Amino acid sequence: MLDLDIAKLSALSPFELKDQLAAAASSDAERLMLNAGRGNPNFLAMLPRHAFLSVGEFAMQEAGRSYAYLDSGFGGLPEARGIVQRFEAYAMHRPGSEGVNFLRKAIAYVKDQLGLDRDAFLFEMVAAFLGCNYPTPPRMLTHMEEIVKAYLVQEMFGAVPSNGDFSLFATEGGTAAMTYIFQSLAVNRLIRPGDKIALATPIFSPYLEIPALAEYDLDVVDVRMDGHDDWQLPDAEMAKLLDPAVKVFCLVNPSNPPSTRLSSATLDALARLVSTARPDLIIVTDDVYGTFADDFVSVFARCPRNTLCVYSFSKFFGATGWRLGTIALHHDNVLDAALAALSTDEKALLARRYGSLTTEPDTLRFIDRLVADSRAVALNHTAGLSVPQQLQMGLFALNGLMDREGRYKTAAKQLIRKRYQTLYRSMGVDVGHGPNDVNYYTLIDLQELAGKIYGTAFERWFVQRDLGIRFLFRLAEETGVVLLPGNGFEVVDTSARVSLANLTEIEYASIGKFTRQVLDEYFKDFTESVAVPAGV
């Protein structure tokens, strides 16, 4: 067994600790390492990628029309006029192409359902693939924004009617969105050192780590989800948001790692709190896993004026390497209201910051400040997510919008939920599926598992010895299985996070079997230490 410095290891981010666990798991060269520590899916959406390649082939033909006479490898900017007609001629020669057929449907869809001009839409896609212009507008391409907005309304609002229009900022994944939000909140004096920020815990570990950075120095208020009540927010915990010193409330919904969506009752309670007692509260909701949930409704839909919504295409479409994310903000929002309420001196400082962008910097919206701040203001004119990335994002969104029977979504949900059942069955545990369960991750409560299988005395022994990280290293060293510690996500119970997205079903069966094997070994240690018969 490895000699472990538990105090030092406990201070690491779970994603940094993962590397040490992986090293322990790799100690046996003859053994396959099973790394369920990261949420990178091993499945992906094929059809919108076929469409991307088809746009590319057509775009190259369009570019070649301009300077064909030079015969020197030159291309030029495509021509917008008549581009759909030329595409139809191109498509006639590719009747069996999945990508081309997808694009023909998309051209019809955006005209019929979104009211977009077909030529302008196709021209934007072709120019985006070629990547021959800066992102214009920098915040997001015009047609791609309308398409992604429609997708978010479909996926984030459920049966809740959309209350007013909103804008999007296309970002380099959800992680860039988080970075930009904290940065702009700080530089615009909406959060200041010593202010309170509330976090719905357990939560994705960077939300725990960013507020502690010297440039923010925020006082974290722990608003704890109840693991015995389907990981919802009890009234007593939500009451912490009544404190006016709490400036921002961050949550991941569905949660990470419990992987449970907020219930209708919890959303109702939060909406009441915001509308009555805390109309000034800024909410940041990270909804990357919402598309894996049944009947999902975002806080962005229920508390539209207060909420910044972060969404990433990475997980649902298997696109972590594409780095595709968005920040959504309603036009009527508390952030712009807070900017308007700043003191004269603070407005003067910010006017100097943004004065090169507009003659009326006081009126610059928060979402546009996000864009400018992402490029140190001075480079605002070259800001924005690369346009080929925006094209793929738009195609992913169209895939979701045009999949009227939800075949891809159904298959994705069935895949991860089957893995969930297999994992627990292999541990010898029966599990059900509740209405709020998502199952992209699962949080194995090791101490609860110990008590369920071997009784309360063993559970107490397990907890008293604080075996969480030791358990994970023993599991990695003996079996090659890598899981992340729950305490790195602010989980109270001794636990381990398992990603159900990145391995095969047979491998999850092995993880369940090996987890039970190590737990059995600890029970043997327990029986020897207390000298009682096994099974007591």
Side-chain angles (χ1 to χ4, degrees), residues 140 336 421 465 513:
M140 194 168 186
D336 289 337
Q421 294 288 336
R465 280 153 183 78
K513 180 183 71 174

Side-chain angles (χ1 to χ4, degrees), residues 121 124-125 140-148 390 394:
F121 163 67
E124 183 176 275
M125 287 206 298
M140 194 168 186
L141 296 176
T142 303
H143 295 82
M144 295 304 108
E145 181 177 17
E146 292 304 312
I147 291 163
V148 175
Q390 293 196 47

Side-chain angles (χ1 to χ4, degrees), residues 93 123 143 260 372 505:
H93 298 286
F123 176 76
H143 295 82
T260 302
E505 188 170 342

Side-chain angles (χ1 to χ4, degrees), residues 18-183:
K18 168 186 61 64
D19 294 336
Q20 298 199 34
L21 288 164
S26 303
S27 59
D28 185 343
E30 302 299 318
R31 181 182 62 201
L32 177 66
M33 180 173 68
L34 299 177
N35 188 346
R38 293 200 71 176
N40 197 106
N42 64 353
F43 52 86
L44 54 87
M46 295 282 288
L47 194 52
R49 286 173 165 89
H50 280 304
F52 182 84
L53 294 175
S54 295
V55 171
E57 184 181 35
F58 176 67
M60 294 302 290
Q61 286 192 14
E62 286 289 292
R65 296 174 65 243
S66 298
Y67 293 108
Y69 66 90
L70 291 177
D71 194 28
S72 302
F74 274 85
L77 300 178
E79 184 181 359
R81 186 176 58 184
I83 194 169
V84 169
Q85 185 178 1
R86 295 193 299 276
F87 176 77
E88 287 296 339
Y90 161 84
M92 284 179 60
H93 298 286
R94 294 159 179 82
S97 168
E98 291 185 89
V100 170
N101 291 338
F102 180 95
L103 293 174
R104 294 187 73 187
K105 294 175 183 177
I107 291 168
Y109 179 90
V110 299
K111 179 180 183 293
D112 183 68
Q113 296 294 311
L114 304 180
L116 301 179
D117 181 83
R118 297 187 309 153
D119 283 300
F121 163 67
L122 183 56
F123 176 76
E124 183 176 275
M125 287 206 298
V126 166
F129 180 88
L130 294 171
C132 50
N133 286 311
Y134 289 111
T136 306
R139 182 166 52 77
M140 194 168 186
L141 296 176
T142 303
H143 295 82
M144 295 304 108
E145 181 177 17
E146 292 304 312
I147 291 163
V148 175
K149 281 166 59 177
Y151 172 73
L152 291 179
V153 168
Q154 173 181 286
E155 299 297 339
M156 302 287 109
F157 283 68
V160 178
S162 179
N163 186 5
D165 200 5
F166 58 93
S167 298
L168 299 180
F169 173 26
T171 63
E172 301 87 345
T175 51
M178 291 169 57
T179 304
Y180 297 154
I181 287 170
F182 275 94
Q183 177 179 293

Side-chain angles (χ1 to χ4, degrees), residues 416-434 437 439 442-445 448-449 452 500:
I416 59 174
R417 292 173 187 182
K418 185 70 161 38
R419 293 170 177 178
Y420 171 78
Q421 294 288 336
T422 297
L423 173 74
Y424 279 92
R425 276 201 309 268
S426 300
M427 285 189 283
V429 178
D430 290 328
V431 289
H433 179 81
D437 292 345
N439 301 141
T442 186
L443 195 62
I444 301 176
D445 190 323
E448 182 181 272
L449 184 65
K452 183 179 292 186
L500 293 162

